[in-house]
Amino acid sequence: MVSLFDNIQSLPGIGPARAKQLKNLGVETIYDLIAYFPRSYEDRTKQAEIASLTPDAPACFQAMVTSAPRVSRIRKGMEITRLQVADHTAKLTLVFFNQSYVAKSLVYGESYWFYGQLNGKAIGLQMVNPQFEPLDRAGSITNRIVPIYSLTAGLSNHILSRAICHALSLCQNMLPEILPASVLAQYNLLPASEAYTVIHNPPNFSLLEQAQKRLVFEEFFLFSLGLSCMRSHRSANTHDVYTDCKLTLYWKALPFPPTNAQKRAVQEICHDLQTEKTMNRLLQGDVGSGKTLVAAAAAYVAVQNGKQVAFMAPTEILAEQHFQTLQTLLAPFHFHFALLTGSKSIKEKRQIKEEIANGTAQIVIGTHALLTSDVEFSNLDMVIADEQHKFGVAQRAALTQKGKAPHLLVMSATPIPRTLALLLYGDLDLSILDELPPGRQKVETFLVSEAFRSRINGFIRKHVENGHQVYIVCPAIEDGEDASYKAAVTWADTLRQTVFGDLTIGLLHGQMKGSDKEAVLRQFALGSIQILVSTTVIEVGIDVPNATLMVIENAERFGLSQLHQLRGRVGRGQDKSYCVLISSSKNEETQTRLKALCATNDGFQIAEQDLALRGPGDFFGARQHGLPQFKIANLSLDLNTLKQAQQAARTLLDQDPDYILHTPSLLTRIQVLFEISGNIFN
Ligand code: ADP
Ligand code: MG
């Protein structure tokens, strides 16, 4: 008797070698195998006639073998089998390379189903290596909708498809229906066992669509339930109430009055800290909206209440920057800070870790290694994480597993429309900084075409001559097949060898080693690099106030929100700053989008426009939000299903908050989805 989450080797016919191939596809358990969904389908249900075949598309047809197969050896190790087939419309030559069994399988005078594609280059009608099966046994490779799987070496589509069908037939009864009957009825969804069967072996396209919908729904339903549970689980963790949340001295010590938005966010945080529930809050605010000040207030309150704070940044450079800023902001209070980064010496590290362990260090700043490595805290009670997309759902859950759950504040500079934020961060409360500090200068943004190239070069040079620095952002790292856009590596070379041969040009992209990247960023921060040619890696939080110009090549290739993020790298100092978008695209929609960016500096407004113009893809695509890996659901395509599933999950939990706890099959699947090993839900 096998069960769903057993290793695939417990299936008959799957040994160590096959298991290894499957593992390459991420398939380890029986469930993984039946949830290894096709990436596409080939419609082989339509029957073509030989005369109507084209070299453009493969097709199915019935034909009779009209000549005995002839095998010839053209050279060592190369055999060709040729034969003629015909239907009532035309004759066709079939050619098979190194498949001598064909000569026995295809019998003169008999008819077969074939599937293949015409060889466009041959004289006369010819087809190479078609697939075939006898008329009475058709339905495996011809005459059906064939699922197409992503493959790995040694594993053909046919073998994989057969293994999955075999597993399905064995598991049919074990596949629990994890959706409640009421949900199935209300949203008109196929039952589980039918959906899994149909997705791998669809009898027709309309049923296939229903199976897909059901499985997407299922995944989003698990996702929504998981988020809700983590949220209620974490806030159910009672927490010592912070008795001292007075901020008078903190506000007084600031070099400037806080904005209303900052005050509101700090109030929301203090409200959490004064109750018994654990804080789980996402602080969203445009670049430059002053999130650090809000985070510092939270840290201040925690330390006033005798607690330890961990402050995490996505890179070491950013950690160093935060270390400086927080020390300055909180200087009057003489707190004890510690900065733990990889570049410290072993001796320094040992000492810092000791201070963290014995509680001397009150505010500890570092990268995410703070939580994963051997760092032991004396009484860690608040975790602040900058840039939430590097700090995903799984990490948030892991945090809860670390004994007593600390308060959590995640900060994000990616404005996401509120509707999407609520869908995606259902396990977090939301605070929004929708106001910039006064006197903030607007980054002047222009949209120009290639025709302006020499003027742009002049503009760049002028900035450098005035002692400022320049970013040039390219959409790709290296030249690909499509030469219609600029690649950072080649463009940096070109600039070095031509117009800017006398200037210092740095290069930065995502495929460089971490330490090389950090070195380049440091040089740029110190001013020894004048022009930094880079890809979008600079998007996250680099703060070089002396950089006053950003040039974005092939701007049409970026999403609006992403362009806005990039633009946030300039305009951080006293000096007037500029962003030049270069695009020669004549596409009207592109022009509208890019002009919208020139017109406003408000990230939330831009995000809303981006959502309206391009759909939610940009918010999920290239950017990692630390969300689980969905097997079939696609956040940007299936947003309506996500909403429905979320509604269904909410209704269910309202009726029965403990539903998951007494539905073990559901619990297992949620843990699989979130890749959480321990049981965090009870
Ligand atoms: P971000 O939200 O991008 O992290 P920061 O916290 O780095 O923004 O703040 C950006 C800049 O604005 C910093 O130089 C900070 O000192 C300044 N700042 C923050 N709040 C205010 C305020 N209320 N008034 C004036 N300047 C502020
Ligand atoms: Mg910041």
Side-chain angles (χ1 to χ4, degrees):
M1 185 59 195
V2 290
S3 79
L4 210 51
F5 292 96
D6 284 352
N7 190 285
I8 28 172
Q9 289 200 51
S10 50
L11 287 174
I14 296 192
R18 189 68 82 211
K20 208 165 153 213
Q21 295 166 340
L22 287 165
K23 197 166 173 207
N24 287 339
L25 303 173
V27 171
E28 295 186 57
T29 65
I30 299 179
Y31 168 74
D32 289 340
L33 185 61
I34 62 176
Y36 193 74
F37 300 122
R39 69 176 157 77
S40 64
Y41 295 87
E42 250 174 46
D43 185 0
R44 301 190 192 171
T45 56
K46 291 194 191 73
Q47 184 177 349
E49 289 171 337
I50 292 178
S52 68
L53 296 175
T54 69
D56 307 325
C60 279
F61 56 96
Q62 255 189 53
M64 184 202 268
V65 178
T66 53
S67 77
R70 241 179 342 138
V71 182
S72 49
R73 175 161 307 189
I74 41 177
R75 57 185 151 80
K76 206 162 175 232
M78 176 65 88
E79 252 176 23
I80 295 193
T81 311
R82 288 173 177 277
L83 55 109
Q84 292 273 327
V85 299
D87 65 7
H88 69 276
T89 64
K91 276 195 283 196
L92 169 70
T93 306
L94 303 186
V95 182
F96 295 87
F97 288 97
N98 282 346
Q99 297 184 40
S100 43
Y101 70 94
V102 164
K104 296 202 187 67
S105 316
L106 290 172
V107 180
Y108 178 56
E110 297 281 323
S111 288
Y112 299 84
W113 274 106
F114 294 92
Y115 177 76
Q117 193 163 346
L118 276 194
N119 176 355
K121 296 194 189 100
I123 303 163
L125 292 183
Q126 194 194 72
M127 186 175 280
V128 178
N129 291 347
Q131 297 177 306
F132 60 90
E133 55 195 357
L135 292 190
D136 57 346
R137 271 182 283 135
S140 162
I141 42 180
T142 64
N143 231 330
R144 67 178 284 218
I145 300 171
V146 178
I148 306 296
Y149 298 92
S150 302
L151 301 171
T152 180
L155 210 55
S156 73
N157 198 63
H158 191 56
I159 293 175
L160 186 57
S161 164
R162 274 217 324 243
I164 293 173
C165 287
H166 186 60
L168 269 175
S169 65
L170 288 175
C171 299
Q172 207 55 240
N173 308 324
M174 295 180 329
L175 211 65
E177 178 52 80
I178 55 167
L179 296 180
S182 58
V183 172
L184 287 181
Q186 184 181 350
Y187 296 95
N188 197 15
L189 301 170
L190 289 187
S193 64
E194 185 175 0
Y196 279 91
T197 310
V198 168
I199 198 96
H200 292 293
N201 198 2
N204 58 58
F205 280 101
S206 90
L207 210 53
L208 173 61
E209 207 171 289
Q210 288 185 54
Q212 284 166 331
K213 160 138 203 241
R214 138 90 211 201
L215 292 166
V216 169
F217 188 100
E218 171 177 317
E219 217 166 19
F220 280 149
F221 185 72
L222 294 168
F223 173 62
S224 308
L225 282 181
L227 284 186
S228 308
C229 284
M230 277 186 244
R231 178 199 183 108
S232 59
H233 177 69
R234 260 195 313 215
S235 34
N237 260 322
T238 55
H239 216 109
D240 294 349
V241 171
Y242 284 13
T243 48
D244 179 6
C245 287
K246 280 194 292 299
L247 282 153
T248 329
L249 293 179
Y250 176 76
W251 294 134
K252 250 196 182 146
L254 289 179
F256 32 64
T259 63
N260 287 324
Q262 285 170 323
K263 273 192 271 186
R264 195 178 54 234
V266 171
Q267 264 163 21
E268 286 162 353
I269 290 169
C270 284
H271 179 80
D272 291 349
L273 302 179
Q274 281 170 306
T275 65
E276 284 191 340
K277 77 175 231 229
T278 305
M279 173 169 74
N280 290 290
R281 194 165 278 283
L282 174 66
L283 176 63
Q284 271 212 347
D286 213 339
V287 186
S289 59
K291 292 183 291 295
T292 320
L293 187 154
V294 175
Y300 169 83
V301 172
V303 177
Q304 287 298 337
N305 285 272
K307 311 291 187 189
Q308 243 179 340
V309 178
F311 196 115
M312 301 186 302
T315 65
E316 297 217 338
I317 293 183
L318 285 171
E320 281 166 24
Q321 280 183 5
H322 280 312
F323 181 63
Q324 301 294 348
T325 317
L326 289 174
Q327 270 185 321
T328 314
L329 271 176
L330 298 171
F333 310 106
H334 306 291
F335 292 159
H336 195 91
F337 289 82
L339 173 67
L340 187 63
T341 58
S343 47
K344 301 256 178 202
S345 72
I346 296 181
K347 200 170 141 224
E348 285 173 312
K349 276 189 206 157
R350 192 179 317 126
Q351 198 201 331
I352 295 169
K353 281 183 196 169
E354 204 175 292
E355 288 175 6
I356 299 174
N358 65 27
T360 319
Q362 295 165 297
I363 299 180
V364 184
I365 296 145
T367 63
H368 297 152
L370 274 186
L371 286 187
T372 48
S373 62
D374 55 342
V375 185
E376 270 186 51
F377 286 82
S378 125
N379 65 338
L380 176 64
D381 201 53
M382 180 180 288
V383 172
I384 300 173
D386 202 357
E387 292 304 331
Q388 103 289 359
H389 55 280
K390 299 261 166 95
F391 195 70
V393 180
Q395 281 97 327
R396 301 209 285 271
L399 204 58
T400 318
Q401 286 174 299
K402 276 196 161 236
K404 195 163 166 298
H407 289 305
L408 177 62
L409 179 67
V410 259
M411 297 191 277
S412 164
T414 313
I416 291 184
R418 192 176 254 277
T419 40
L420 285 184
L422 289 176
L423 284 172
L424 292 181
Y425 304 110
D427 65 330
L428 297 172
D429 294 311
L430 196 58
S431 287
I432 294 182
L433 296 184
D434 51 5
E435 179 188 355
L436 292 184
R440 189 56 52 82
Q441 50 154 306
K442 183 172 174 287
V443 175
E444 207 72 54
T445 307
F446 305 101
L447 172 62
V448 301
S449 70
E450 197 59 42
F452 285 71
R453 182 62 68 189
S454 65
R455 286 178 62 180
I456 298 164
N457 288 343
F459 199 48
I460 294 176
R461 186 171 282 283
K462 202 175 114 211
H463 276 260
V464 175
E465 280 170 358
N466 288 339
H468 291 299
Q469 288 159 280
V470 178
Y471 293 102
I472 298 178
V473 181
C474 299
I477 298 177
E478 279 180 278
D479 283 327
E481 288 176 4
D482 182 355
S484 66
Y485 53 90
K486 295 231 157 18
V489 176
T490 10
W491 191 233
D493 273 347
T494 311
L495 293 178
R496 278 182 193 127
Q497 286 158 20
T498 58
V499 274
F500 299 132
D502 55 328
L503 305 179
T504 322
I505 298 182
L507 172 69
L508 186 75
H509 60 73
Q511 275 170 21
M512 284 161 57
K513 267 211 327 252
S515 53
D516 292 348
K517 269 193 268 187
E518 302 242 335
V520 170
L521 280 170
R522 254 192 201 102
Q523 284 176 307
F524 191 66
L526 292 172
S528 54
I529 288 176
Q530 294 166 306
I531 300 177
L532 184 61
V533 179
S534 96
T535 58
T536 54
V537 284
I538 53 154
E539 197 180 327
V540 179
I542 304 305
D543 189 15
V544 181
N546 191 45
T548 50
L549 170 61
M550 169 167 287
V551 176
I552 302 179
E553 300 286 346
N554 305 99
E556 72 281 355
R557 303 187 64 94
F558 300 92
L560 273 192
S561 294
Q562 198 175 22
L563 288 171
H564 178 64
Q565 285 289 299
L566 288 166
R567 176 171 65 177
R569 299 305 112 219
V570 293
R572 300 175 81 84
Q574 301 301 317
D575 304 285
K576 179 98 193 109
S577 297
Y578 301 87
C579 175
V580 178
L581 308 172
I582 306 183
S583 175
S584 298
S585 164
K586 301 249 159 27
N587 182 302
E588 215 167 289
E589 193 220 292
T590 307
Q591 289 283 321
T592 313
R593 283 196 314 119
L594 297 178
K595 281 184 184 146
L597 197 79
C598 300
T600 178
N601 268 268
D602 178 338
F604 283 97
Q605 206 180 320
I606 289 165
E608 294 288 355
Q609 290 198 3
D610 215 2
L611 182 65
L613 286 169
R614 302 229 302 190
D618 285 347
F619 296 98
F620 309 119
R623 209 170 284 137
Q624 281 295 317
H625 280 284
L627 294 172
Q629 273 280 277
F630 292 109
K631 286 178 189 293
I632 187 169
N634 180 331
L635 280 166
S636 45
L637 298 178
D638 307 320
L639 214 54
N640 271 331
T641 312
L642 174 58
K643 282 184 192 152
Q644 288 181 349
Q646 203 152 42
Q647 187 55 49
R650 208 170 291 142
T651 312
L652 184 73
L653 291 179
D654 282 347
Q655 284 161 2
D656 179 1
D658 289 332
Y659 183 83
I660 298 179
L661 294 187
H662 43 248
T663 318
S665 53
L666 201 57
L667 184 58
T668 321
R669 286 285 309 280
I670 292 175
Q671 286 168 331
V672 170
L673 179 66
F674 285 98
E675 298 177 61
I676 294 164
S677 46
N679 188 348
I680 64 151
F681 300 112
N682 54 24

